[in-house]
Amino acid sequence: MHLKTPSISGGRFRKQSKRAAPVYIACALLLLLYTQIDHFERFQHTPGEVLKRVLAYQQPMLRAQDTKFPKKIWQTWKTDPLEFEQRESERARTWPQKNPGHRYEVLTDNNDLDYVETHFGRDGVVYRPDIIETYRTLNATIIKADLLRYLVMYAEGGVYADIDVENLRAVNTWIPPQFNESDVDLVISVEIDEPAFVNHTILGQKSQSFCQWTFMTKPRHPVMMRLIEHVLHWLNEVAQKQAVPISDIKLNFDEVITGTGPSAFTTAVLAEMAAQTHRRLYWDTFHALTQPVLVGNILVLTVDSFAAGQGHSNSLSHDSPNALVKHHYHASLWPSRHPRYSHPAYGMVEECNWEPACVWNWTENTAAFDGLSFDDKVKLIKEKEQIDKERYDAEVAEDEAAAKEENERLQAELKAQYLGVGVCLIFQGEEMT
């Protein structure tokens, strides 16, 4: 008896393959995620939880399309707005003033954990006890601040801005008229556009990046989940490498930048762009950008939009019509806890602010330093120490002058209030007589 064997390319096999395709895809996704999970994490995941984590990346495709960005503005700080110092208050006030139709909220050191537990607990947007435990354990404040913004923006969306960012133009003007809001799910801006330094030992990893001190997103955007997953995996890796719990890890400036900051943000954005367009994108797409560009559902604005006035990356002043916010940098004290590399004789290359001649001089001088005589090294180091002392003294004097000016202003306000009360009492006395 001769048995007919159906051809591999036959119709019945193709039909069976089509029916089985969703199963194959699901298995592939599960396997892919399995390889990305840190198996040394405190929390091990059931198959159902793993599937939820896979689907979290697919939320924008599974949910009903949001045609509008949520009218919410988020900031984070140590204290409640009622306890802000004047400079924080002045910057923060610009957001509700220019956007009266938006809800404005500040998460603080007193309510941030409650927010995370609520939105990533059993009744939250996604049940992730590993996120809650990691956030609860973290002591590095800048890492918590970075992770918190990604968590909030994943859960609820809207606008995020650092506390020292001033709003220059209303949020409803951020998407240029040539784009439909329904086609855009994430709005970002170029921050550093200095590709000439891409191979520099220190500056290379920071030379091409998007801004993450201000951005706008719709809820459940995959970039946010990519960042959350990356941060958790990275923290576990660092803790294992240092042989300490996450609460005790020590990080330098560049580790923060690449772990949770602009470099990590940029990597996640580019990965999502590649996933949406099915092609790898290079920085050339965003170099010297003069007009906004939409890649997938991610709108990239020019450097002036969120990062004007930097003095590099061809950014213009805050008077530019493209400038939407102004970053004042007064809340950026975290580098003092996570220091950059500073050469004993030539200091930090970042002090060059991307000026080419300065960067190359620093690079050549530091490379030649080891070949100098002992006396020459000592001389250069002492000269650097004197420059640093003079700079520190000037900064202290400037801070003292600013504090004096602020005190005089407050005294003048109090005096005016007392005079006003006195005048009112005089008028009241005259009326009574």
Side-chain angles (χ1 to χ4, degrees):
M1 181 185 293
H2 179 69
L3 294 176
K4 270 192 169 181
T5 305
S7 169
I8 292 178
S9 59
R12 189 172 65 179
F13 184 83
R14 285 198 296 270
K15 290 179 182 178
Q16 291 172 340
S17 298
K18 287 179 181 179
R19 285 195 292 266
V23 177
Y24 295 151
I25 293 170
C27 291
L29 287 170
L30 289 171
L31 179 61
L32 177 62
L33 185 65
Y34 181 83
T35 62
Q36 297 301 312
I37 292 175
D38 189 339
H39 298 285
F40 294 94
E41 287 185 47
R42 178 175 173 179
F43 289 94
Q44 297 302 316
H45 306 280
T46 66
E49 290 170 344
V50 172
L51 181 58
K52 286 181 180 179
R53 292 176 74 162
V54 172
L55 294 178
Y57 286 100
Q58 311 301 322
Q59 283 290 341
M61 290 179 281
L62 296 178
R63 63 180 168 81
Q65 187 176 23
D66 292 325
T67 58
K68 299 288 185 181
F69 282 85
K71 290 190 173 184
K72 302 175 183 178
I73 297 170
W74 299 91
Q75 294 191 293
T76 62
W77 193 231
K78 296 174 286 188
T79 61
D80 185 89
L82 295 176
E83 299 173 357
F84 280 180
E85 294 182 10
Q86 183 185 359
R87 62 181 184 178
E88 280 81 30
S89 182
E90 288 178 349
R91 315 306 184 213
R93 196 178 295 122
T94 62
W95 291 97
Q97 284 176 343
K98 286 187 167 55
N99 306 280
H102 283 62
R103 188 184 97 196
Y104 174 76
E105 186 168 347
V106 178
L107 290 174
T108 72
D109 292 350
N110 294 323
N111 60 23
D112 57 338
L113 179 58
D114 181 68
Y115 182 94
V116 174
E117 290 175 338
T118 299
H119 289 82
F120 294 89
R122 289 192 178 276
D123 298 322
V125 293
V126 59
Y127 178 48
R128 293 292 299 273
D130 55 332
I131 290 176
I132 296 171
E133 180 63 19
T134 300
Y135 193 85
R136 184 186 290 120
T137 303
L138 268 172
N139 285 324
T141 54
I142 183 58
I143 304 302
K144 291 188 79 168
D146 283 340
L147 178 56
L148 182 60
R149 76 189 64 181
Y150 305 143
L151 293 171
V152 172
M153 300 304 275
Y154 179 79
E156 297 196 54
V159 173
Y160 170 83
D162 280 358
I163 200 66
D164 52 2
V165 174
E166 174 186 354
N167 186 204
L168 300 179
R169 289 177 175 79
V171 170
N172 62 13
T173 68
W174 286 12
I175 299 178
Q178 64 266 36
F179 300 100
N180 293 321
E181 185 173 349
S182 59
D183 295 331
V184 181
D185 284 356
L186 174 63
V187 179
I188 60 175
S189 161
V190 171
E191 179 191 352
I192 299 178
D193 181 23
E194 295 289 347
F197 300 103
V198 70
N199 294 319
H200 192 274
T201 305
I202 296 175
L203 297 178
Q205 60 188 349
K206 299 172 280 195
S207 62
Q208 303 171 144
S209 66
F210 298 119
C211 173
Q212 52 102 247
W213 64 59
T214 303
F215 58 92
M216 180 168 70
T217 183
K218 293 175 182 175
R220 320 289 196 276
H221 198 282
V223 166
M224 299 301 112
M225 184 52 70
R226 286 180 185 274
L227 281 160
I228 294 165
E229 297 288 7
H230 162 76
V231 172
L232 266 61
H233 183 76
W234 171 75
L235 285 171
N236 277 283
E237 279 191 334
V238 172
Q240 289 174 36
K241 185 176 180 180
Q242 297 182 8
V244 297
I246 288 176
S247 57
D248 295 337
I249 60 174
K250 305 295 182 185
L251 302 166
N252 63 33
F253 180 88
D254 289 332
E255 287 171 328
V256 173
I257 294 293
T258 57
T260 64
S263 295
F265 185 81
T266 302
T267 299
V269 168
L270 292 175
E272 180 58 26
M273 287 177 171
Q276 291 187 20
T277 62
H278 307 291
R279 62 188 179 91
R280 182 177 178 182
L281 275 89
Y282 297 90
W283 190 256
D284 292 352
T285 306
F286 313 107
H287 176 52
L289 198 64
T290 59
Q291 294 293 328
V293 58
L294 183 64
V295 182
N297 61 30
I298 302 172
L299 180 62
V300 182
L301 304 177
T302 63
V303 65
D304 298 324
S305 299
F306 296 158
Q310 297 183 105
H312 61 76
S313 304
N314 294 315
S315 63
L316 301 177
S317 73
H318 292 100
D319 295 327
S320 164
N322 295 327
L324 304 176
V325 302
K326 181 177 182 179
H327 193 193
H328 292 271
Y329 299 97
H330 59 70
S332 302
L333 300 177
W334 65 267
S336 62
R337 304 186 192 98
H338 306 277
R340 314 170 201 243
Y341 170 73
S342 182
H343 191 274
Y346 299 108
M348 298 179 291
V349 67
E350 287 89 350
E351 293 175 334
C352 290
N353 199 33
W354 304 95
E355 201 282 311
C358 178
V359 172
W360 301 131
N361 284 338
W362 184 94
T363 304
E364 291 175 359
N365 288 334
T366 54
F369 183 78
D370 288 342
L372 298 177
S373 67
F374 176 79
D375 290 341
D376 286 342
K377 289 180 180 179
V378 170
K379 180 182 177 182
L380 286 170
I381 291 172
K382 286 184 176 180
E383 289 175 355
K384 176 65 169 58
E385 290 174 346
Q386 181 60 32
I387 292 172
D388 288 344
K389 182 180 183 304
E390 291 173 357
R391 181 183 298 169
Y392 175 78
D393 291 343
E395 289 176 354
V396 169
E398 184 179 342
D399 290 343
E400 289 176 348
K404 182 180 179 182
E405 182 180 345
E406 175 65 10
N407 185 56
E408 290 174 350
R409 186 189 66 79
L410 292 173
Q411 293 295 329
E413 286 183 359
L414 288 172
K415 185 176 180 180
Q417 290 174 5
Y418 289 140
L419 287 173
V421 171
V423 169
C424 288
L425 290 174
I426 290 172
F427 282 133
Q428 288 177 358
E430 290 178 350
E431 290 175 359
M432 290 177 68
T433 57

